[in-house]
């Protein structure tokens, strides 16, 4: 258990490291603009998918164009009714149209890729069962693993932190079980759990929180990342997968940006408020 004093750090406003290089290479106007914040895991999902699917885009995560979802600028509210990132603005319509909500954006991008780049985060439609197995994994991540991450990082007293760690580890084990089931039942090479596999929708929806568990949770909660060799090899493949790696900033950006969650500062975010209120995430 590791509890650091609150040093009052705020979230970063510009990506760093490899993510910055990727952002600089996607600075020119395109049909799709990703409204983003550098620390946001929901944004990272969409960014990874854009990279993997090979769809042209412009991303706004640099100091001069980053979207601060806590300040809710007017152009963000136009594309995302709750003022949450990520959102896509579709510039080839007049007036521009928009899509928000990370999981919906991922489906939208899959559909675009199906008729353009022909890349996919899912097995082919001719393999409905293999696709369902990936959807089951992603569903588990959305309903169990993501809320467990926030409950753990926001827990302040020791008892709650111990419970938070247990629940988060259990959520990881639940995901591993679903990966093993797909490995046993399916022929599909979609998914990084299998050595030699390709990036799947489940890898994309889970990756940003798994990544933050290895830096943010380790730093603030002394989290012991499950040590099984298969899981470690999976994390290694995921974090080093080019489309994922290209969206990662240097780790201190995440550690600084999550200090407000680790101390459960009042009004940290809509997600944090929902966790505190025990309601569903926005
Ligand atoms: N359900 C949304 C959640 C997005 C979300 O909560 N984004 C955070 C940043 S990580 C945000 O925009 N927060 C602004 C706020 O809390 O007002 C999605 O999947 O896109």
């Amino acid at each position: 258990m590791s509890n650091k004093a609150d040093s009052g750090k705020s979230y970063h406003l510009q990506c760093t490291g490899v993510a910055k290089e990727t952002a600089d290479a996607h600075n020119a106007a395109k049909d799709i603009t990703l409204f983003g914040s550098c620390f946001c895991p929901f944004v990272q999902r969409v960014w990874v998918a854009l990279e993997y699917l090979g769809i042209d885009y412009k991303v706004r995560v640099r100091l001069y164009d980053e979207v601060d979802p806590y300040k809710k600028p007017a152009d963000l509210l136009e594309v995302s009714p709750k003022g949450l990132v990520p959102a896509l603005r579709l510039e080839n319509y007049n007036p521009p149209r928009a899509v928000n909500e990370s999981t919906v954006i991922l489906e939208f991008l899959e559909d675009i890729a199906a008729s353009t780049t022909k890349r996919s985060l899912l097995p082919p439609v001719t393999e409905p069962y293999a696709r369902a197995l990936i959807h089951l994994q992603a569903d588990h991540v959305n309903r169990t693993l993501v809320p467990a991450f926030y409950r753990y990082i926001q827990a302040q007293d020791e008892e709650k932190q111990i419970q938070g760690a247990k629940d988060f580890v259990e959520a990881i084990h639940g995901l591993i079980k679903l990966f093993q089931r797909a490995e046993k039942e399916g022929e599909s090479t979609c998914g990084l759990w299998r050595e030699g596999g390709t990036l799947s929708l489940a890898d994309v929806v889970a990756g940003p929180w798994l990544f933050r568990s290895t830096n943010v949770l380790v730093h603030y909660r002394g989290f012991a990342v499950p040590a099984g060799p298969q899981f470690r090899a999976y994390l290694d493949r995921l974090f080093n997968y080019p489309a994922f790696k290209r969206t990662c900033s240097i780790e201190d950006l995440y550690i600084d940006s999550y200090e407000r969650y680790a101390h459960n500062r009042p009004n940290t975010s809509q997600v944090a408020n929902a966790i505190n209120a025990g309601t569903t995430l926005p």
Side-chain angles (χ1 to χ4, degrees):
M1 191 95 358
S2 156
N3 277 318
K4 318 256 182 225
D6 192 348
S7 68
K9 286 198 183 96
S10 186
Y11 50 94
H12 285 218
L13 295 169
Q14 160 154 259
C15 58
T16 57
V18 187
K20 171 81 168 42
E21 286 169 30
T22 309
D24 286 343
H26 292 271
N27 192 14
K30 296 280 178 213
D31 286 353
I32 291 179
T33 305
L34 169 58
F35 281 53
S37 304
C38 60
F39 59 84
C40 174
F42 301 95
V43 168
Q44 193 177 10
R45 283 175 164 176
V46 172
W47 198 3
V48 173
L50 284 163
E51 279 289 315
Y52 181 72
L53 295 171
I55 296 169
D56 268 354
Y57 68 94
K58 171 185 169 152
V59 63
R60 291 181 46 185
V61 284
R62 284 165 304 266
L63 196 53
Y64 57 89
D65 67 0
E66 192 178 76
V67 183
D68 185 337
Y70 306 112
K71 299 217 166 111
K72 311 225 176 292
D75 62 348
L76 174 62
L77 288 166
E78 275 169 19
V79 294
S80 174
K82 293 183 200 157
L84 301 174
V85 288
L88 300 183
R89 192 168 64 198
L90 310 176
E91 313 286 0
N92 54 347
Y93 292 93
N94 189 11
R97 292 182 177 170
V99 185
N100 65 302
E101 212 38 66
S102 61
T103 53
V104 176
I105 295 174
L106 291 177
E107 284 185 43
F108 176 72
L109 296 177
E110 267 284 315
D111 291 345
I112 289 181
S115 62
T116 54
T117 66
K118 315 277 184 214
R119 294 180 65 94
S120 176
L121 292 161
L122 290 165
V125 280
T126 49
E127 293 175 33
Y129 187 69
R131 285 166 75 92
L133 292 177
I134 303 269
H135 282 302
L136 274 176
Q137 297 158 10
D139 180 68
H140 172 75
V141 171
N142 286 324
R143 286 193 297 122
T144 308
L145 190 133
V146 170
F149 174 95
Y150 291 101
R151 277 201 306 276
Y152 184 19
I153 186 72
Q154 289 176 235
Q156 296 300 295
D157 59 62
E158 193 176 334
E159 204 182 310
K160 285 210 173 115
Q161 290 180 2
I162 291 168
Q163 190 60 45
K166 269 196 196 133
D167 292 348
F168 188 64
V169 167
E170 204 176 296
I172 289 179
H173 284 147
L175 180 61
I176 292 173
K177 275 210 186 100
L178 290 168
F179 282 153
Q180 288 169 335
R181 173 176 162 193
E183 194 177 21
K184 196 165 117 228
E185 295 186 349
E187 305 286 298
S188 173
T189 52
C190 181
L192 294 179
W193 179 257
R194 207 186 283 254
E195 214 182 327
T198 57
L199 193 72
S200 77
L201 180 75
D203 300 328
V204 171
V205 298
W209 286 270
L210 293 176
F211 184 59
R212 284 155 183 72
S213 79
T214 65
N215 42 59
V216 171
L217 289 181
V218 168
H219 180 84
Y220 290 110
R221 294 289 176 264
F223 177 55
V225 180
Q230 254 194 310
F231 183 63
R232 288 302 177 101
Y234 167 68
L235 291 186
D236 211 46
R237 282 195 284 279
L238 176 59
F239 299 164
N240 287 302
Y241 204 78
F244 189 83
K245 208 174 177 168
R246 286 200 287 266
T247 66
C248 288
S249 286
I250 298 166
E251 292 186 86
D252 65 353
L253 176 146
Y254 304 104
I255 291 172
D256 293 351
S257 300
Y258 280 81
E259 193 179 56
R260 59 213 164 96
Y261 281 95
H263 293 279
N264 205 16
R265 289 188 206 141
N267 292 318
T268 281
S269 70
Q270 292 182 40
V271 167
N273 289 348
I275 291 291
N276 289 331
T279 53
T280 51
L281 300 191

